[in-house]
Amino acid sequence: MMLSAQLLAASTEPTSGGWYDTVLFPFKWVTAWVLVGIHRGLTTLGLPEGPGITWVLSIVVLTIFVRLLIIPLFIKQIKSTRGMSAIQPEIKKIQEKYKGRNDQVSKQQMSQETMNLYKQYGVNPMASCFPLLIQLPILAALYRVLWQMPLIASQPGAHIGGFDSTLAAEMDKSTVFGVYLSDTFTNTASNPTTTKILIIVSVLLYAGLMFFQQFINMKHNMNTSNAQQMRMMKMMVYLMPLMTAWFGFIVQIGVLVYLVVTMVVSFIQQIFVMYYLPTPGSTAHDAQMRRHQVKYDSFKEETLAEYNQKLMDLGLSGEDVAKALRLEVKATRKGEDDPFSGIENGEKLREGLALHKETQDHLHKKAQDLELEEKPKKPVKQSKMMAALQKQARQQAGMQPGVRNAQAQPKRLTRAQRDAQAKRRRAAGQLSEEEKAKRRQARRNNNAGKKGNQNR
């Protein structure tokens, strides 16, 4: 029984940070196993085992793996940010509509209209937070894993995830420029001066990369028409590096490696975004449009050359195609089905016109793909509730879907009068033709009597 208790104690973590470690336990377990797995993969490729560069590279690969994992969320964040920028005028209209109305009903209506606007344009205001929400638990887990490496290494049988005391000792003794991965600015097992210098350089590198990335984004990938957004971005460019720099002085060297590599990868992603997914209205977007215009001009030149060659093979010219277009327009006006029947060389004209239309369609589609022409917008889907309400209103008015109400109700009638007329129309729909004829004759006689009385 004592042996079982000892084994149970050895299978648990050596220390606990209370609720913090309890909440982070799943992330720590996954992070530890991923690090061990990456290390095994690198050693299989021929990198050295034991303490050394392989464990440092394991953190680098972990960082790249996390960044690749959140690429879909990163792209969604970009699209959502663009959408939020595009609908700002509509949001302002809603805010002006409810300005000064602080009652609960008005607040709910304003919130509902805003949410409907988000849904209509496919925008999620929280999308910009998703990449950060994924990275924060991993960053915190890596911090706690590195913090526990010396403790696990000193207790045979202890473990965290895939780390046992042997692997923990290897990672704990791995260094970056002579500084252990688990060293911090205030707590170091290596040379204190070297540790502090390395941490300061790493923090400056991290903050500098963040500033440079945000500055380039503001300079080349921001829509300058939104003055409020530009002011906010300018403030964030200078404040964010300062706000995050202090973090580097409380975490380990291993976490700083993760942060610096994250900023390097993030900077590369930003360059990719500026080139392929720039913000409309920015200088980067203008540059993309110029590149797209060059691509379109080259495509158009090749397509027209191929088109003219096919026309020559048919024995046709541009004038023949223009003639075919005029014949088609003329036949359409007259309601004729075949504009080329009975015309000399009619079949070739038909082929030449079809080739012309196909070529124009290809050019039009290419222009749309390169965003030189706006694609047709998809109709907004109607909500089920709104469709049901409209259907109910048509049924109450005795109307069929898609049928124009020829007897539209004048606004001067009361509701009781409109209900009475609707009831008579529904009843009229159930009368026989003979009864309908009698009622029409009775109305004529009644109208004639009214006119006779007016003449007297």
Side-chain angles (χ1 to χ4, degrees):
M1 189 171 181
M2 185 178 296
L3 179 60
S4 300
Q6 291 174 348
L7 291 174
L8 180 61
S11 65
T12 59
E13 297 182 20
T15 62
S16 175
W19 66 269
Y20 184 71
D21 273 317
T22 302
V23 172
L24 279 179
F25 176 76
F27 299 100
K28 290 162 56 180
W29 187 85
V30 172
T31 302
W33 270 113
V34 171
L35 277 172
V36 171
I38 293 173
H39 182 266
R40 289 174 180 172
L42 292 176
T43 55
T44 302
L45 293 175
L47 291 176
E49 297 183 2
I53 190 63
T54 308
W55 282 110
V56 180
L57 291 178
S58 298
I59 297 177
V60 174
V61 175
L62 171 67
T63 309
I64 297 173
F65 174 75
V66 172
R67 296 300 301 186
L68 292 176
L69 189 66
I70 64 174
I71 281 179
L73 296 177
F74 181 67
I75 294 175
K76 190 172 183 178
Q77 174 190 7
I78 295 170
K79 292 181 178 179
S80 183
T81 303
R82 286 185 178 184
M84 288 296 295
S85 178
I87 66 174
Q88 280 303 312
E90 299 296 328
I91 292 178
K92 287 182 179 179
K93 288 180 182 179
I94 295 175
Q95 292 172 346
E96 288 294 328
K97 178 180 177 181
Y98 292 96
K99 186 176 181 180
R101 297 163 61 178
N102 298 321
D103 57 285
Q104 190 65 25
V105 175
S106 297
K107 290 181 179 179
Q108 289 179 351
Q109 290 177 343
M110 179 179 173
S111 177
Q112 185 62 42
E113 289 186 23
T114 305
M115 294 303 297
N116 290 340
L117 189 65
Y118 291 155
K119 186 176 181 181
Q120 178 180 348
Y121 284 88
V123 173
N124 186 350
M126 297 299 296
S128 59
C129 301
F130 292 156
L132 185 62
L133 292 176
I134 295 293
Q135 294 181 84
L136 280 179
I138 298 174
L139 183 63
L142 179 61
Y143 169 79
R144 294 301 293 176
V145 167
L146 289 173
W147 184 81
Q148 290 181 324
M149 284 297 104
L151 302 173
I152 298 172
S154 63
Q155 297 182 20
H159 76 275
I160 177 173
F163 279 100
D164 55 16
S165 59
T166 303
L167 292 179
E170 290 181 4
M171 188 169 190
D172 185 46
K173 296 302 179 182
S174 298
T175 61
V176 180
F177 297 107
V179 178
Y180 294 128
L181 288 175
S182 57
D183 283 352
T184 65
F185 193 82
T186 57
N187 185 14
T188 176
S190 54
N191 189 309
T193 303
T194 305
T195 302
K196 291 180 179 180
I197 292 174
L198 181 60
I199 289 176
I200 291 173
V201 171
S202 300
V203 169
L204 290 175
L205 181 60
Y206 171 74
L209 284 172
M210 179 181 289
F211 172 80
F212 192 49
Q213 176 190 349
Q214 293 183 345
F215 181 80
I216 290 178
N217 183 57
M218 180 190 68
K219 195 76 174 175
H220 300 285
N221 199 34
M222 289 289 293
N223 189 338
T224 55
S225 62
N226 192 332
Q228 182 180 0
Q229 190 175 9
M230 284 295 294
R231 286 195 299 270
M232 185 179 299
M233 187 63 188
K234 285 181 180 179
M235 182 174 62
M236 296 300 291
V237 165
Y238 296 98
L239 286 182
M240 280 299 293
L242 295 176
M243 291 171 60
T244 57
W246 65 270
F247 186 67
F249 292 97
I250 62 175
V251 298
Q252 304 95 334
I253 288 293
V255 176
L256 275 173
V257 171
Y258 178 91
L259 291 174
V260 172
V261 175
T262 295
M263 288 309 305
V264 171
V265 177
S266 180
F267 182 76
I268 295 173
Q269 285 183 338
Q270 184 63 41
I271 299 299
F272 174 87
V273 167
M274 288 174 55
Y275 192 86
Y276 292 101
L277 297 171
T279 302
S282 64
T283 56
H285 186 263
D286 294 339
Q288 185 192 49
M289 289 299 98
R290 290 193 292 269
R291 294 194 302 270
H292 285 186
Q293 186 64 52
V294 172
K295 290 181 181 179
Y296 176 77
D297 292 341
S298 177
F299 175 82
K300 182 178 181 180
E301 183 179 356
E302 295 176 1
T303 303
L304 291 180
E306 184 179 353
Y307 164 72
N308 290 326
Q309 183 61 47
K310 290 181 178 179
L311 276 185
M312 290 178 60
D313 295 341
L314 290 172
L316 299 175
S317 64
E319 294 180 358
D320 294 325
V321 174
K323 177 183 176 181
L325 285 168
R326 291 193 298 270
L327 289 173
E328 186 181 50
V329 172
K330 186 177 179 180
T332 302
R333 289 176 180 173
K334 292 182 177 181
E336 297 176 357
D337 295 332
D338 189 359
F340 305 110
S341 60
I343 296 178
E344 184 181 359
N345 206 22
E347 287 303 319
K348 286 189 176 182
L349 290 176
R350 192 195 310 278
E351 292 181 25
L353 182 59
L355 179 62
H356 171 78
K357 290 181 177 179
E358 181 182 357
T359 303
Q360 292 299 317
D361 288 342
H362 285 168
L363 292 175
H364 182 60
K365 185 178 183 303
K366 186 67 173 180
Q368 287 184 337
D369 291 341
L370 293 174
E371 299 180 354
L372 298 175
E373 294 183 12
E374 186 177 359
K375 293 184 179 180
K377 296 180 180 179
K378 296 181 180 179
V380 179
K381 292 183 179 180
Q382 193 178 39
S383 66
K384 293 181 180 180
M385 181 180 294
M386 183 60 68
L389 289 174
Q390 291 183 355
K391 182 179 179 181
Q392 182 181 359
R394 287 194 298 267
Q395 290 176 347
Q396 290 177 352
M399 297 172 58
Q400 297 296 325
V403 178
R404 179 179 176 271
N405 185 5
Q407 298 177 344
Q409 304 300 323
K411 292 184 179 180
R412 63 178 179 272
L413 294 180
T414 64
R415 181 171 182 176
Q417 290 172 327
R418 290 197 296 269
D419 290 343
Q421 285 195 359
K423 184 177 180 180
R424 286 196 297 271
R425 284 196 297 270
R426 288 194 296 271
Q430 301 174 359
L431 298 176
S432 63
E433 291 298 327
E434 183 179 355
E435 184 64 27
K436 289 180 182 179
K438 288 181 180 181
R439 293 198 175 193
R440 282 196 294 269
Q441 186 61 41
R443 285 196 296 270
R444 292 194 193 99
N445 294 338
N446 188 25
N447 292 336
K450 288 181 180 180
K451 288 182 181 180
N453 293 333
Q454 290 175 359
N455 293 334
R456 291 195 190 97

